[in-house]
Coordinates of all heavy atoms in Angstrom, one line a residue:
D1 N 9.7 -16.0 7.0 CA 10.3 -15.9 8.4 C 9.4 -15.3 9.3 O 8.5 -14.4 8.9 CB 11.7 -15.1 8.3 CG 12.7 -15.7 7.5 OD1 12.6 -17.0 7.2 OD2 13.6 -15.0 7.0
G2 N 9.5 -15.6 10.6 CA 8.6 -15.0 11.6 C 9.1 -13.5 11.8 O 10.3 -13.2 11.6
G3 N 8.2 -12.6 12.2 CA 8.6 -11.3 12.5 C 9.3 -11.2 13.9 O 9.2 -12.0 14.8
D4 N 10.2 -10.1 14.0 CA 11.0 -10.0 15.2 C 10.1 -9.4 16.4 O 9.2 -8.6 16.1 CB 12.2 -9.1 15.0 CG 13.1 -9.6 13.9 OD1 13.1 -10.8 13.7 OD2 13.9 -8.8 13.4
G5 N 10.5 -9.9 17.5 CA 9.8 -9.2 18.7 C 10.4 -7.9 19.0 O 11.5 -7.5 18.5
L6 N 9.8 -7.1 19.8 CA 10.2 -5.7 20.1 C 10.5 -5.4 21.5 O 9.8 -6.0 22.4 CB 9.1 -4.7 19.6 CG 9.4 -3.2 19.7 CD1 10.4 -2.8 18.7 CD2 8.1 -2.4 19.4
V7 N 11.5 -4.6 21.8 CA 11.8 -4.1 23.1 C 11.2 -2.7 23.2 O 11.5 -1.8 22.5 CB 13.2 -4.1 23.4 CG1 13.5 -3.4 24.7 CG2 13.8 -5.5 23.4
A8 N 10.1 -2.5 24.0 CA 9.5 -1.2 24.1 C 9.0 -1.1 25.6 O 8.7 -2.1 26.2 CB 8.4 -1.0 23.1
F9 N 8.8 0.2 26.1 CA 8.2 0.4 27.3 C 7.1 1.6 27.3 O 7.1 2.4 26.4 CB 9.3 0.9 28.3 CG 10.4 -0.1 28.4 CD1 11.5 -0.1 27.7 CD2 10.3 -1.1 29.5 CE1 12.5 -1.0 27.9 CE2 11.3 -2.0 29.7 CZ 12.3 -2.0 28.9
R10 N 6.1 1.5 28.2 CA 5.0 2.4 28.2 C 5.6 3.6 28.9 O 6.1 3.7 29.9 CB 3.9 1.9 29.0 CG 3.3 0.6 28.3 CD 2.0 0.2 28.9 NE 1.0 1.3 28.5 CZ -0.3 1.2 28.8 NH1 -0.8 0.2 29.5 NH2 -1.2 2.2 28.4
R11 N 5.3 4.7 28.2 CA 5.7 6.1 28.7 C 4.6 7.1 28.7 O 4.9 8.3 28.5 CB 7.0 6.6 28.0 CG 8.3 5.7 28.2 CD 9.4 6.3 27.5 NE 10.7 5.6 27.8 CZ 11.1 4.5 27.1 NH1 10.4 4.1 26.0 NH2 12.2 4.0 27.4
E12 N 3.4 6.7 28.7 CA 2.3 7.6 28.7 C 2.1 8.4 29.9 O 2.5 7.9 31.0 CB 0.9 6.9 28.4 CG 1.0 6.3 27.0 CD 0.9 4.8 27.1 OE1 1.6 4.1 27.8 OE2 -0.1 4.3 26.4
K13 N 1.7 9.5 29.8 CA 1.3 10.3 31.0 C 0.2 9.6 31.9 O -0.6 9.0 31.3 CB 0.8 11.7 30.6 CG 0.8 12.8 31.7 CD 0.4 14.1 31.1 CE 0.4 15.2 32.2 NZ 0.0 16.5 31.7
Y14 N 0.3 9.8 33.2 CA -0.6 9.2 34.1 C -0.6 7.6 34.1 O -1.4 6.9 34.5 CB -2.0 9.5 33.8 CG -2.2 11.1 33.6 CD1 -2.6 11.7 32.5 CD2 -1.9 11.9 34.7 CE1 -2.8 13.0 32.4 CE2 -2.2 13.3 34.7 CZ -2.5 13.8 33.5 OH -2.7 15.2 33.4
V15 N 0.6 7.1 33.6 CA 0.7 5.6 33.7 C 2.1 5.4 34.4 O 3.1 5.1 33.7 CB 0.8 4.9 32.2 CG1 0.8 3.4 32.4 CG2 -0.5 5.3 31.5
P16 N 2.1 5.5 35.7 CA 3.3 5.3 36.4 C 3.8 3.9 36.3 O 3.1 2.9 36.3 CB 3.0 5.7 37.9 CG 1.5 5.4 38.0 CD 0.9 5.7 36.6
E17 N 5.2 3.7 36.2 CA 5.8 2.4 36.1 C 5.1 1.6 35.0 O 4.6 0.4 35.4 CB 5.9 1.8 37.4 CG 6.6 2.6 38.5 CD 6.5 2.0 39.9 OE1 5.9 0.9 40.0 OE2 7.2 2.5 40.8
G18 N 5.0 2.1 33.9 CA 4.1 1.4 32.8 C 4.7 0.0 32.5 O 4.0 -0.9 32.1
G19 N 6.1 -0.1 32.6 CA 6.6 -1.5 32.3 C 6.8 -1.8 30.8 O 6.6 -1.0 30.0
P20 N 7.2 -3.1 30.6 CA 7.5 -3.5 29.1 C 6.2 -3.5 28.3 O 5.1 -3.8 28.8 CB 8.0 -4.9 29.4 CG 7.5 -5.4 30.6 CD 7.4 -4.2 31.6
A21 N 6.4 -3.1 27.0 CA 5.2 -3.0 26.2 C 5.6 -3.4 24.7 O 5.0 -3.0 23.8 CB 4.6 -1.6 26.2
G22 N 6.6 -4.2 24.6 CA 7.0 -4.7 23.3 C 6.2 -6.0 22.8 O 6.3 -7.0 23.5
G23 N 5.6 -5.9 21.7 CA 4.7 -7.0 21.3 C 5.5 -8.1 20.6 O 6.7 -7.9 20.1
D24 N 4.9 -9.2 20.3 CA 5.5 -10.4 19.6 C 5.4 -10.1 18.1 O 4.5 -9.4 17.6 CB 4.7 -11.6 19.8 CG 4.7 -12.0 21.4 OD1 5.6 -11.4 22.0 OD2 4.0 -12.9 21.7
G25 N 6.4 -10.7 17.4 CA 6.4 -10.7 15.8 C 5.2 -11.6 15.3 O 4.9 -12.6 16.0
G26 N 4.8 -11.4 14.1 CA 3.8 -12.3 13.5 C 4.4 -13.5 12.8 O 5.7 -13.5 12.5
K27 N 3.7 -14.6 12.7 CA 4.1 -15.8 12.1 C 4.3 -15.5 10.6 O 3.5 -14.9 9.9 CB 3.0 -16.8 12.3 CG 3.4 -18.2 11.6 CD 2.3 -19.2 11.8 CE 2.5 -20.5 11.2 NZ 2.7 -20.4 9.7
G28 N 5.3 -16.2 10.0 CA 5.6 -16.1 8.6 C 4.5 -17.0 7.9 O 3.9 -18.0 8.4
G29 N 4.3 -16.7 6.6 CA 3.4 -17.4 5.8 C 3.8 -18.8 5.4 O 5.0 -19.0 5.1
D30 N 2.9 -19.7 5.3 CA 3.2 -21.1 4.8 C 3.1 -21.1 3.3 O 2.4 -20.3 2.6 CB 2.2 -22.0 5.4 CG 2.2 -22.2 6.8 OD1 3.2 -21.9 7.4 OD2 1.1 -22.6 7.4
V31 N 3.8 -22.0 2.7 CA 3.7 -22.3 1.2 C 2.8 -23.5 1.2 O 3.1 -24.6 1.6 CB 5.1 -22.5 0.6 CG1 4.8 -22.8 -1.0 CG2 6.0 -21.3 0.7
I32 N 1.6 -23.3 0.5 CA 0.6 -24.4 0.5 C 0.3 -24.7 -0.9 O 0.1 -23.8 -1.8 CB -0.7 -23.9 1.1 CG1 -0.5 -23.6 2.6 CG2 -1.8 -24.9 1.0 CD1 -1.7 -23.0 3.3
F33 N 0.4 -26.0 -1.3 CA 0.0 -26.4 -2.7 C -1.4 -26.9 -2.7 O -1.9 -27.6 -1.8 CB 0.9 -27.6 -3.1 CG 2.3 -27.2 -3.6 CD1 3.0 -26.1 -2.9 CD2 2.9 -27.7 -4.7 CE1 4.2 -25.8 -3.3 CE2 4.1 -27.4 -5.1 CZ 4.8 -26.3 -4.4
R34 N -2.2 -26.3 -3.7 CA -3.6 -26.7 -3.9 C -3.9 -27.2 -5.2 O -3.5 -26.6 -6.2 CB -4.4 -25.4 -3.6 CG -5.9 -25.5 -3.7 CD -6.7 -24.3 -3.5 NE -6.5 -23.7 -2.1 CZ -6.8 -22.4 -1.9 NH1 -7.2 -21.6 -2.8 NH2 -6.7 -22.1 -0.6
V35 N -4.7 -28.3 -5.2 CA -5.1 -28.8 -6.5 C -6.1 -28.0 -7.2 O -7.2 -27.7 -6.6 CB -5.6 -30.3 -6.3 CG1 -6.0 -30.8 -7.6 CG2 -4.5 -31.1 -5.7
D36 N -5.9 -27.7 -8.5 CA -6.9 -27.0 -9.3 C -7.2 -27.8 -10.5 O -6.3 -28.1 -11.4 CB -6.3 -25.7 -9.8 CG -7.3 -24.8 -10.6 OD1 -8.3 -25.3 -11.0 OD2 -7.1 -23.6 -10.7
E37 N -8.4 -28.3 -10.7 CA -8.7 -29.2 -11.7 C -8.8 -28.6 -13.1 O -8.8 -29.3 -14.2 CB -10.1 -29.9 -11.5 CG -11.3 -28.8 -11.4 CD -12.6 -29.5 -11.1 OE1 -12.7 -30.7 -10.8 OE2 -13.6 -28.8 -11.2
G38 N -8.7 -27.3 -13.1 CA -8.6 -26.6 -14.4 C -7.2 -26.6 -15.1 O -7.0 -26.2 -16.2
L39 N -6.2 -27.2 -14.3 CA -4.8 -27.2 -14.9 C -4.6 -28.6 -15.3 O -5.1 -29.6 -14.8 CB -3.8 -26.9 -13.8 CG -3.9 -25.4 -13.2 CD1 -2.9 -25.3 -12.1 CD2 -3.7 -24.4 -14.2
R40 N -3.7 -28.8 -16.4 CA -3.4 -30.0 -16.9 C -2.0 -30.3 -17.2 O -1.6 -31.3 -17.7 CB -4.2 -30.3 -18.3 CG -5.7 -30.5 -18.0 CD -5.9 -32.0 -17.5 NE -7.3 -32.3 -17.4 CZ -8.0 -32.1 -16.3 NH1 -7.4 -31.6 -15.2 NH2 -9.2 -32.5 -16.1
T41 N -1.2 -29.4 -16.8 CA 0.3 -29.4 -17.1 C 1.1 -28.6 -16.0 O 0.5 -27.8 -15.3 CB 0.6 -28.9 -18.5 OG1 2.0 -28.9 -18.6 CG2 0.1 -27.4 -18.6
L42 N 2.3 -28.9 -15.9 CA 3.2 -28.2 -14.9 C 3.9 -27.1 -15.7 O 5.1 -26.6 -15.2 CB 4.2 -29.1 -14.3 CG 3.6 -30.3 -13.4 CD1 4.7 -31.2 -13.0 CD2 2.8 -29.8 -12.3
M43 N 3.4 -26.6 -16.7 CA 4.1 -25.5 -17.5 C 4.4 -24.3 -16.7 O 5.5 -23.7 -17.0 CB 3.1 -25.1 -18.7 CG 3.7 -24.1 -19.7 SD 5.0 -24.9 -20.6 CE 5.5 -23.5 -21.6
D44 N 3.6 -23.9 -15.8 CA 3.9 -22.7 -15.0 C 5.2 -22.8 -14.3 O 5.9 -21.8 -14.1 CB 2.7 -22.4 -14.1 CG 1.4 -22.0 -14.8 OD1 1.5 -21.7 -16.0 OD2 0.4 -22.1 -14.2
F45 N 5.6 -24.0 -13.9 CA 6.8 -24.2 -13.1 C 8.1 -24.2 -14.0 O 9.2 -24.3 -13.4 CB 6.7 -25.4 -12.3 CG 5.5 -25.5 -11.4 CD1 4.3 -26.1 -11.6 CD2 5.6 -24.8 -10.2 CE1 3.3 -26.1 -10.8 CE2 4.5 -24.8 -9.3 CZ 3.4 -25.4 -9.6
R46 N 7.8 -24.1 -15.3 CA 9.0 -24.0 -16.1 C 9.6 -22.6 -16.1 O 10.8 -22.5 -16.3 CB 8.6 -24.3 -17.6 CG 9.9 -24.3 -18.5 CD 9.4 -24.9 -19.9 NE 10.5 -24.8 -20.8 CZ 10.5 -25.3 -22.0 NH1 9.3 -25.7 -22.5 NH2 11.5 -25.3 -22.8
Y47 N 8.8 -21.6 -15.8 CA 9.3 -20.2 -15.8 C 9.5 -19.7 -14.4 O 10.2 -18.8 -14.2 CB 8.3 -19.3 -16.6 CG 8.2 -19.9 -18.0 CD1 7.1 -20.6 -18.5 CD2 9.2 -19.6 -19.0 CE1 6.9 -21.0 -19.8 CE2 9.1 -20.0 -20.3 CZ 8.0 -20.8 -20.7 OH 7.8 -21.3 -22.0
Q48 N 8.7 -20.2 -13.5 CA 8.8 -19.7 -12.0 C 9.2 -20.9 -11.2 O 8.4 -21.8 -11.0 CB 7.6 -19.1 -11.5 CG 7.7 -18.6 -10.1 CD 6.4 -17.9 -9.6 OE1 5.5 -17.8 -10.3 NE2 6.5 -17.5 -8.3

């Protein structure tokens, strides 16, 4: 899942009317299948 965005505001000293400062959430990871010539069976998928 993607990360949630944030509601935040700048409140530092000497920064008048700092305004909104909430960043975006990060992208979720993809599930990627990669061929490995060292494998010869789907045995691993029997348990996971």
